[in-house]
Amino acid sequence: MEVAFTEKDSYAQHFVPKDYLEMYYSCHPEKEDESALLVFSLKTLHKAFHSGGLKGDTLIDIGSGPTIYQFLSACESFREIIATDFTDQNREEMQRWLRKEPGAFDWSPVVKYVCELEGDREEWAQKEEKVRRTVKRVLKCDVTQPNPLAPLSLPPADCLLSALCLEGACKDLPAYRAALKNISSLVKPGGRLVLLAILEETFYMVGQRQFSCLYLDRESVEESVKEAGFDIEWLEMSQLCFPGTLYDAKEACVLVARKH
């Protein structure tokens, strides 16, 4: 059955960050199956930033949502991270954690897992503080606009990161290709794109509400990235195990690409 596209207004009105975090990030990664999406994401982002030699001054994260897991490896490689999201409530939820406010989501099991990947699980408190120091700004972003950060105009970044964003924001493949071209304007020539994409998914749940996801396969992602002006340097895939009532994805991929 085809899932109706979730429009921007619906995200603004109905996406509940706390429900999303509890449903997808309240697990302990070391107890998860290797095919769990969070474990795959943490391992491949560690590989990209820690082992892959990605470094620079500024990284812009496109569609951060209310999450910080994607910064745990990146904060070791970049002096400044700029987080972005379309909805006010996601940006506010992230800032609640950055400001260490009561009731902020507990990311410590995820942070400890990444510290273990890096060789010292006991450094997790220092890692949290490093993320808080490195995330300098949290901005509004709309990937459907030629300048996704309008009305701001920022200097091109050394690296773009985007995890599980574009497939939710785009109605069809032409819109997905356009969104990749839009965000590519934010990274300098020779800069990198790190993209985490979910494949063969049509929906995911947040609380009791269903949100649409653009059905993508590996070929369409690769072609879209190349069309947006990037050369793919490496790509890693994972089959996903999933509780079918929460989402229906079959695979995920992470790729690193260099802008022409």
Side-chain angles (χ1 to χ4, degrees), residues 3-15 86 144 166-171 202-204 209-214:
V3 177
F5 177 64
T6 307
E7 301 284 352
K8 294 179 198 176
D9 289 351
S10 191
Y11 269 96
Q13 291 172 28
H14 301 301
F15 192 93
F86 179 73
T144 67
L166 301 181
E167 49 273 65
C170 299
K171 187 171 189 173
T202 64
F203 79 92
Y204 67 101
R209 190 168 286 272
Q210 187 181 75
F211 290 84
S212 67
C213 187
L214 175 62

Side-chain angles (χ1 to χ4, degrees), residues 34-152:
E34 285 293 311
S35 61
L37 178 57
L38 180 58
V39 171
F40 172 70
S41 304
L42 296 174
K43 284 188 169 181
T44 48
L45 291 174
H46 168 72
K47 178 179 175 180
F49 291 107
H50 191 73
S51 314
L54 295 189
K55 284 184 168 46
D57 286 326
T58 305
L59 176 145
I60 299 176
D61 183 40
I62 300 295
S64 306
T67 65
I68 59 93
Y69 74 91
Q70 67 272 33
F71 306 143
L72 296 172
S73 295
C75 73
E76 303 295 339
S77 302
F78 290 87
R79 188 178 53 79
E80 173 185 41
I81 291 173
I82 298 169
T84 73
D85 198 74
F86 179 73
T87 73
D88 298 342
Q89 65 268 31
N90 277 343
R91 298 194 305 277
E92 182 52 41
E93 185 65 38
M94 180 192 291
Q95 290 188 312
R96 195 169 286 131
W97 183 85
L98 292 171
R99 296 189 295 250
K100 301 210 277 200
E101 291 183 5
F105 187 72
D106 178 15
W107 284 101
S108 60
V110 175
V111 179
K112 288 173 183 174
Y113 181 81
V114 172
C115 288
E116 201 164 286
L117 292 178
E118 293 176 358
D120 193 348
R121 185 181 177 85
E122 299 311 309
E123 292 289 307
W124 70 272
Q126 293 93 316
K127 169 75 81 175
E128 287 195 342
E129 291 312 307
K130 185 155 196 176
V131 172
R132 289 184 172 106
R133 288 196 308 273
T134 308
V135 178
K136 307 287 190 188
R137 305 171 82 179
V138 182
L139 303 176
K140 188 173 178 73
C141 170
D142 183 347
V143 299
T144 67
Q145 301 303 308
N147 171 13
L149 302 180
L152 296 179

Side-chain angles (χ1 to χ4, degrees), residues 52-55 158-160 184 187-195 225-234 255-260:
L54 295 189
K55 284 184 168 46
D158 300 293
C159 185
L160 273 186
S184 77
V187 66
K188 60 178 67 166
R192 296 316 214 301
L193 167 69
V194 180
L195 182 69
V225 167
K226 290 172 184 172
E227 209 176 274
F230 295 91
D231 296 316
I232 296 171
E233 296 182 321
W234 66 262
L255 63 82
V256 175
R258 184 191 290 270
K259 187 174 178 182
H260 297 167

